[in-house]
Amino acid sequence: APLDRAVATKQVDYFPPSRYDIPKPDGTYDVRYWEASHAPVFDANGNLSFIIQKTTDVTERELAKLAAVASENKFRFMAETLPQLVFTLNPDGKVTYLNQRWADYSGVSTEELMDNGWGKILDPENIESITKKWKEGFEKGQDIQLELRKRNKDGQYRWFLCKCQPMHGEDGNIIMWAGSCTD
């Protein structure tokens, strides 16, 4: 099929990475991943002369992708099983993740909460002081800790201890924030 597509489109066609294990003399297998490109080559009149197939061993890249997916799955499992409201933010303070407990507690979807729906669950009397404290922490790049009241799905407010701290990259810049709120 990749060869046929290269002929039909007259453009390079890429065969996606495929696992191709190589048998070893001891009866085990060496796990390998390969990908191929098929490049049509034309003569001076624009007629297809031949197709060059280039196969590349992409095992390291594919194993790194699988490891990243496994790591992400472990993080999500951990975050979903903790009894706290867990969240992550980008370096600018925009929410990038909320565990399901946020929606279960508040009755507001995580999508809506991530889209600045905080006003629906925070005690209106404290929003100004909460906003000030968060802004100060982000501007200084310092840990944030505060006690605040959040509305549950039944309309009642409960006190939470919220903690958030920055994660720094090798260059010292903040690459994300992680935090939790505990009832």
Side-chain angles (χ1 to χ4, degrees), residues 89-158:
L89 312 165
N90 71 13
D92 300 324
K94 182 173 178 9
V95 180
T96 56
Y97 171 79
L98 297 172
N99 68 350
Q100 183 59 38
R101 292 196 188 275
W102 284 89
D104 295 344
Y105 174 80
S106 68
V108 178
S109 74
T110 54
E111 293 80 16
E112 189 174 349
L113 289 169
M114 288 177 72
D115 192 31
N116 295 319
W118 300 102
K120 293 185 175 186
I121 64 169
L122 295 177
D123 184 348
E125 294 178 11
N126 300 63
I127 287 180
E128 190 176 319
S129 63
I130 293 167
T131 303
K132 181 180 176 186
K133 181 104 175 183
W134 278 97
K135 186 177 179 183
E136 181 181 301
F138 284 117
E139 288 174 353
K140 293 180 179 179
Q142 297 176 337
D143 292 5
I144 302 166
Q145 178 174 315
L146 59 130
E147 294 179 15
L148 52 86
R149 293 176 4 122
K150 294 180 187 272
R151 184 187 52 80
N152 66 18
K153 60 186 168 196
D154 299 324
Q156 298 178 3
Y157 286 92
R158 298 182 56 88

